[in-house]
Amino acid sequence: MTDLAARVKEFIKDKIIPYETDPRWTSHGPTDELRIEMNELAKAAGVFAPQVPKEYGGQALSQVGRAHVFEAAGYSILGPTAIHCASPDEGNIHLLDVVARPDQREHFLKRMATGQIRSIFCMTEPGGAGSDPSLMTTTARLEGNEWVINGRKWLITGAEGAGCAIIMAKNEGGPMNGHATMFMADLPDPAIRLERTLDTMDSSFTGGHGVIEIKNLRLPADAVLGEIGKGFRYAQVRLAPARLSHCMRWLGAAMRAQDIATEYARTRVAFGKTLGEHQGVSFMLADNLMDMNQARLSIWHTAWLLDQGERASNESSMSKVICSEAYFRVADRCMQILGGLGITRDTVVERFFRDSRAFRIYDGPSEVHRWALGARIVSGKM
């Protein structure tokens, strides 16, 4: 996979980094027009969606293979979108590959994997289900041969312009009352209304982060993804590898920030010598290198465990905390090295800084992962 990773990185440098000044990269992420244009370039270069199943034109990369390739893609924030390994599609594609029926694979997975449509994962709710999904209030009730779903979701990544949705809801009535179920829905649908796109500090994802109202959505009885009542279990199928994929992609961004800061430290002169000759600066670069090395080793270890068929829940939690906090430190130090330049948008480091801060919250805040790990340690389950 190292050869593919090298080709991806070359593609990102040559074809995608020039798009970083394109006005179609907005505060709510790259537009669909820009996404599709970059996807076509990736297809022409033979680096489009290498992680997807081979039946859809991918290479079915292992988790370790993804670690190499996704890091290379992350060298530009636009890179994962360009080669179609960005969230939430990457995680949704993995989930459907594991759980979906043949007809759902044909109707939903095929179009998602080939980039014909974008998808969303609707679990998080305002003031409720987030890190604790048991607080979910969205309900699904079976009426005859139809499900009726009602609720509100928020911070739904990619909501504007998505072509399908995975919706998490609690069963209301019946033997599975109170259990969560996943449903597949085509978009647009008048019963699924985008209330607004949130203004957030990150800008990585096409379609931004939306607030969605689901009002009397009617879906056929067979719209269930997997089995009724197993929604929380399937969420874990998705979340452990998906949060690790975030770590992989952000490691590439950290490397880019380090490269920019290093080049500046080599050429900028202050007090009679280059910045890099001052220990205060060279030590920051050294600390960055150590942070990124520890993050990479954590990613590789967790990826290897997943490839062995392990759930790797503890390891993915540790990786999420280690990596998200390390990347933030790297971005912060790089901004400091760049000085006044660092707080401008003349380099992408300022954008890395904002986006890396958000990573410490989504896919589970650091505190939740520490709490879960600590509880397992105390109970003797680790």
Side-chain angles (χ1 to χ4, degrees):
M1 287 304 102
T2 53
D3 176 64
L4 176 58
R7 289 197 292 116
V8 168
K9 190 166 184 178
E10 181 181 7
F11 169 75
I12 298 301
K13 286 183 173 180
D14 292 347
K15 301 295 185 180
I16 302 306
I17 286 177
Y19 279 107
E20 290 178 346
T21 57
D22 193 301
R24 292 175 294 175
W25 186 11
T26 74
S27 60
H28 292 150
T31 65
D32 269 305
E33 179 187 27
L34 178 56
R35 173 186 68 85
I36 292 168
E37 189 173 314
M38 294 189 298
N39 286 172
E40 291 303 315
L41 291 175
K43 290 174 183 177
V47 295
F48 181 79
Q51 79 282 359
V52 307
K54 292 182 179 179
E55 64 190 284
Y56 305 122
Q59 299 184 35
L61 292 180
S62 66
Q63 291 294 329
V64 171
R66 295 178 195 203
H68 291 281
V69 173
F70 289 8
E71 178 183 335
Y75 199 71
S76 168
I77 298 180
L78 293 174
T81 297
I83 76 162
H84 195 38
C85 72
S87 176
D89 285 320
E90 187 266 334
N92 292 344
I93 290 168
H94 171 76
L95 174 61
L96 264 66
D97 189 35
V98 174
V99 177
R101 300 188 311 263
D103 61 304
Q104 291 171 328
R105 293 177 69 88
E106 178 65 22
H107 182 69
F108 292 107
L109 178 56
K110 181 179 180 179
R111 293 184 298 152
M112 290 161 56
T114 55
Q116 294 178 49
I117 60 171
R118 288 188 293 104
S119 60
I120 54 177
F121 186 73
C122 301
M123 182 176 73
T124 305
E125 298 180 357
S131 297
D132 184 356
S134 69
L135 297 175
M136 186 179 302
T137 59
T138 300
T139 60
R141 184 180 68 259
L142 189 60
E143 292 185 357
N145 62 352
E146 286 187 324
W147 291 97
V148 181
I149 301 175
N150 285 279
R152 282 182 86 228
K153 303 289 185 179
W154 93 312
L155 281 171
I156 303 305
T157 303
E160 186 171 356
C164 73
I166 302 171
I167 301 171
M168 285 270 285
K170 278 189 176 179
N171 291 83
E172 191 174 64
M176 287 294 176
N177 184 59
H179 291 259
T181 298
M182 288 186 178
F183 300 89
M184 296 299 306
D186 283 303
L187 294 174
D189 187 301
I192 303 175
R193 184 173 69 90
L194 176 61
E195 291 185 3
R196 63 190 176 104
T197 299
L198 297 161
D199 290 320
T200 60
M201 67 191 302
D202 64 334
S203 57
S204 304
F205 307 102
T206 301
H209 305 289
V211 181
I212 292 175
E213 180 188 41
I214 304 171
K215 189 171 183 179
N216 293 323
L217 170 66
R218 290 185 173 271
L219 296 174
D222 65 356
V224 172
L225 177 61
E227 296 182 36
I228 297 171
K230 292 189 176 181
F232 289 144
R233 182 184 301 181
Y234 297 146
Q236 294 308 310
V237 170
R238 181 187 185 279
L239 289 174
R243 71 169 62 105
L244 189 67
S245 297
H246 272 309
C247 296
M248 299 170 185
R249 294 183 289 259
W250 278 110
L251 180 55
M255 288 295 300
R256 174 85 176 286
Q258 174 83 336
D259 287 349
I260 292 170
T262 299
E263 180 61 26
Y264 188 76
R266 286 173 178 157
T267 56
R268 177 75 161 88
V269 175
F271 304 105
K273 52 186 177 182
T274 64
L275 288 182
E277 293 177 278
H278 294 279
Q279 278 191 345
V281 172
S282 65
F283 279 16
M284 284 193 281
L285 293 172
D287 286 340
N288 283 352
L289 188 64
M290 289 185 281
D291 265 338
M292 290 186 292
N293 188 58
Q294 289 170 340
R296 184 176 291 109
L297 292 175
S298 180
I299 291 168
W300 286 359
H301 177 233
T302 307
W304 179 82
L305 288 173
L306 289 170
D307 283 340
Q308 308 314 302
E310 301 285 339
R311 289 184 61 187
S313 297
N314 295 327
E315 289 78 11
S316 69
S317 284
M318 288 188 282
S319 291
K320 171 58 168 63
V321 176
I322 290 168
C323 295
S324 64
E325 295 187 356
Y327 302 164
F328 182 75
R329 291 191 296 268
V330 169
D332 184 62
R333 294 188 194 110
C334 289
M335 284 189 72
Q336 195 71 13
I337 291 168
L338 293 171
L341 177 64
I343 63 173
T344 73
R345 296 185 183 177
D346 285 3
T347 79
V348 296
V349 173
E350 179 270 345
R351 206 155 193 166
F352 286 154
F353 178 83
R354 286 187 284 119
D355 282 41
S356 68
R357 180 61 184 86
F359 184 32
R360 286 165 55 194
I361 294 174
Y362 56 70
D363 272 8
S366 297
E367 292 74 19
V368 170
H369 289 293
R370 285 189 169 95
W371 167 75
L373 289 166
R376 293 170 197 151
I377 293 168
V378 172
S379 66
K381 294 181 180 179
M382 284 188 67

